[in-house]
Amino acid sequence: MELYFNPTAMGIIFGYYAIVNIALYTMMVVDKKRAQKNAWRIPEKNMYILSVLGGGTGGLIAMVFKRHKNRHMDFILVFTTTAILHMVVAFLLIGKFAFHVN
């Protein structure tokens, strides 16, 4: 019995989560700058959607380092919950597709 590693599956999984998290982080940075300039803001539902799609970690990082939406308990709850959920999902996907036994 041998364990095989599938780098393509691992790359797809990490790539997907990297793109979604960077997108949410960038969206929050842009929204923060717009808030400071009193300009048109990005709708909060767009941030929630990206969080549910797997960007919760990027949202949490933006909350900490850019101090954006860090006093909104609903954002803290949603970003934290989705970050934990997607870490579990990523772990399960890696176990299912990136490694297999022959």
Side-chain angles (χ1 to χ4, degrees):
M1 196 156 75
E2 295 181 49
L3 181 66
Y4 289 98
F5 173 68
N6 184 350
T8 304
M10 184 72 89
I12 291 170
I13 294 166
F14 278 122
Y16 171 78
Y17 281 110
I19 289 168
V20 174
N21 280 288
I22 290 169
L24 182 55
Y25 178 85
T26 303
M27 184 183 290
M28 289 189 64
V29 169
V30 168
D31 190 57
K32 171 78 174 190
K33 289 180 182 180
R34 288 180 180 176
Q36 291 169 336
K37 294 179 181 179
N38 210 14
W40 176 82
R41 303 284 300 277
I42 297 171
E44 291 180 349
K45 70 177 181 177
N46 294 351
M47 295 178 205
Y48 286 133
I49 290 169
L50 275 180
S51 179
V52 169
L53 291 175
T57 304
L60 287 172
I61 292 170
M63 288 177 81
V64 171
F65 290 108
K66 297 299 180 181
R67 295 187 205 180
H68 188 51
K69 305 280 188 191
N70 60 349
R71 294 185 183 168
H72 297 260
M73 192 54 87
D74 53 336
F75 276 93
I76 295 169
L77 181 64
V78 170
F79 289 171
T80 303
T81 303
T82 58
I84 292 168
L85 174 70
H86 278 282
M87 285 181 195
V88 171
V89 169
F91 180 75
L92 294 173
L93 287 172
I94 289 168
K96 175 81 173 165
F97 297 109
F99 294 97
H100 57 90
V101 179
N102 270 353

